[in-house]
Structures are given as C-alpha cells and as structure tokens.
Amino acid sequence: MTSPDTEAEPVEATNLLYRDPALYDAVQSDSTGAEMCQTLIERHRPDARTLVDFGCGTGRDLEILAQRFECVGVDLQPGMVDYAHQARPWLDIRTGDMRTVRLGTRMDVVTCVGNSLAYVHDNEEIGRVFATFAAHARPGALLVLCSPVAPIARTEPTTATVDTPTGPATVTVCHTWDLRTQINTTHRHWVFPSGDEARDEIRRRVLFPRELERYAESAGFEVLDMNDGTETGLTGPTAYTVAREKAT
C-alpha cells in the first residue's frame, strides 16, 4: 500500500530552523527529549551502553545522551551536520538518510526523536526506515521514538515570543490537517527584532498508535510502552514509543 503523498519532503527548504541551525539550537534549547529518552532507557534497558540517534539535527540532544552512552548521530541535512561539527566537534555525527543508511554496526539503543520520523510521508518509505532501525539493533536492543500520533486539532492562529540569537522574535502559528494523507501542516509567520519577516511551513505525517505498532512489529520489534512524556498515559498529540528487538 502506498500513500498518495510520495514525494520526498524538502524539509531543509520549507523549515526555517533547518536553514538556520543556530536558530534551531536556540529555539530547541528547552527541549526535554534527551532527558525523556534517558528515563525510558533506564527503565527498560538499564544495561545499555551504545546508542545511535537517527535525525539528530545539530546534536543538541545527542550531547546530553553522550554523557551516559557511546553515541553516533545521523542526520539527512548537511547544513545541520556541518553546524554540529563546529558546535560539538567531540560528537560522532554523520550525514545519512535514515531510509537507506547502513553504518555497519549494531547498538543497544536506537532512537529517532524530535519528530524526525514524521518527515517521512510515504508508507513504503516508513517501512524502509523501520528496516534501518532493525539493521542497527542488537538482539534485545531498545527502540525509542518520538512522533505525532494524533493531529493538532487547534485551527485558530496562536502567537508566541521566541528567544533567538538576535533577541526575542514573534511567531504566529496555525495548523491544517489533511485526513487523506494524514499530514498535519504547521504554518509559521516570524517577525524578528530587526523587523525582518519570514514564513515557513512544516508537513508532518501522523502515524496513529496502531500504525506505529504495526511498523515496529513488521521490523521485528515488540512495543513495550507508548506515552506522551507526562507519565499520565497517551493523551497528547505526540508520543514516545518504546519497543524491544525480538531476540532471535
């Protein structure tokens, strides 16, 4: 089965933060993704020593995880990887497409957080991503994902102030939802302290919980847990999925 939306998403062109990695780092500075990953790993695989993160961006989360694990990061965007090499030269971060990359090694933990999985829109290509996860997982390895599991229902625009390297910027955000393709589009209008303006959009594929479970099981993983990061179950639009490779 193939999704109607089969084009690879040029996220570096449509997402302002990918075009400006320093801005990405600043905007994501309050993310708790790495801490949540570590909590889940300690809960389900406390003996883990090695980790590979697909879609690692600038390495901001990987820097935190590297304090506990021997880590490798992979990202599709050369600009993000170049920035990571300058900002965090001690990290092992490589350019690669998680649909096809093979590092030739297997790890105790495979992660894909920060909604990276949601940029893959086609069903067959999502299957290829999960095959990549499996190709890098040791027997009994843990898989930790963070991705949208429900559309953002809010349709009215919201405005917030965001700290950037040049000062506070104003960003107005609205969302649209295409049920046929299961793609949530975030539209943003930025106004920076200089008065400059920018518009961008982010298109993310929502994989509902049962879909995630099916993809994981097809790749040889058993889902252990899904939660929204608040320890109160699965209530929000984004979930952490934890699965274990079925030792053969």
Side-chain angles (χ1 to χ4, degrees):
M1 182 172 63
T2 302
S3 162
D5 185 359
T6 57
E7 291 187 20
E9 183 70 358
V11 292
E12 74 281 4
T14 61
N15 189 333
L16 176 64
L17 302 188
Y18 287 167
R19 301 197 300 269
D20 187 344
L23 179 60
Y24 175 96
D25 245 15
V27 170
Q28 299 294 327
S29 63
D30 60 350
S31 169
T32 59
E35 289 82 358
M36 187 63 191
C37 278
Q38 187 158 327
T39 296
L40 294 171
I41 295 166
E42 294 294 345
R43 180 178 302 163
H44 295 283
R45 184 69 195 268
D47 63 332
R49 293 293 178 267
T50 58
L51 180 150
V52 57
D53 182 29
F54 292 101
C56 69
T58 62
R60 195 197 61 79
D61 285 340
L62 199 68
E63 181 178 25
I64 298 171
L65 292 169
Q67 297 175 23
R68 166 67 174 79
F69 307 101
E70 180 183 334
C71 294
V72 176
V74 178
D75 198 88
L76 177 64
Q77 311 296 337
M80 300 286 272
V81 174
D82 289 345
Y83 177 89
H85 289 163
Q86 296 172 23
R88 302 174 177 94
W90 55 89
L91 295 178
D92 184 353
I93 296 180
R94 311 176 191 182
T95 303
D97 186 330
M98 63 183 177
R99 294 168 294 188
T100 57
V101 68
R102 295 294 184 271
L103 302 178
T105 187
R106 294 176 182 266
M107 303 289 196
D108 297 327
V109 181
V110 177
T111 63
C112 182
V113 295
N115 293 314
S116 296
L117 179 60
Y119 290 117
V120 184
H121 296 171
D122 175 69
N123 292 339
E124 292 182 5
E125 292 195 343
I126 294 168
R128 293 169 66 190
V129 171
F130 275 84
T132 294
F133 296 157
H136 295 86
R138 288 177 176 165
L142 208 64
L143 173 65
V144 181
L145 311 173
C146 181
S147 62
V149 294
I152 298 174
R154 185 176 61 251
T155 58
E156 294 299 318
T158 59
T159 300
T161 300
V162 177
D163 289 330
T164 75
T166 60
T170 300
V171 58
T172 301
V173 179
C174 65
H175 303 276
T176 56
W177 166 244
D178 185 329
L179 178 59
R180 176 67 183 91
T181 60
Q182 295 176 210
I183 291 178
N184 230 153
T185 303
T186 300
H187 308 269
R188 299 187 298 200
H189 177 204
W190 299 81
V191 180
F192 294 96
S194 63
D196 291 340
E197 299 185 26
R199 295 180 184 271
D200 67 349
E201 65 177 38
I202 307 169
R203 302 173 69 240
R204 295 189 178 113
R205 166 74 183 268
V206 172
L207 288 176
F208 297 110
R210 285 296 191 185
E211 287 183 286
L212 275 171
E213 190 171 3
R214 179 66 178 271
Y215 280 113
E217 289 179 348
S218 295
F221 294 93
E222 176 187 8
V223 173
L224 305 177
D225 185 27
M226 284 189 189
N227 68 77
D228 60 10
T230 64
E231 303 293 340
T232 59
L234 190 56
T235 59
T238 300
Y240 287 88
T241 301
V242 184
R244 178 176 289 121
E245 197 272 346
K246 299 176 184 176
T248 56

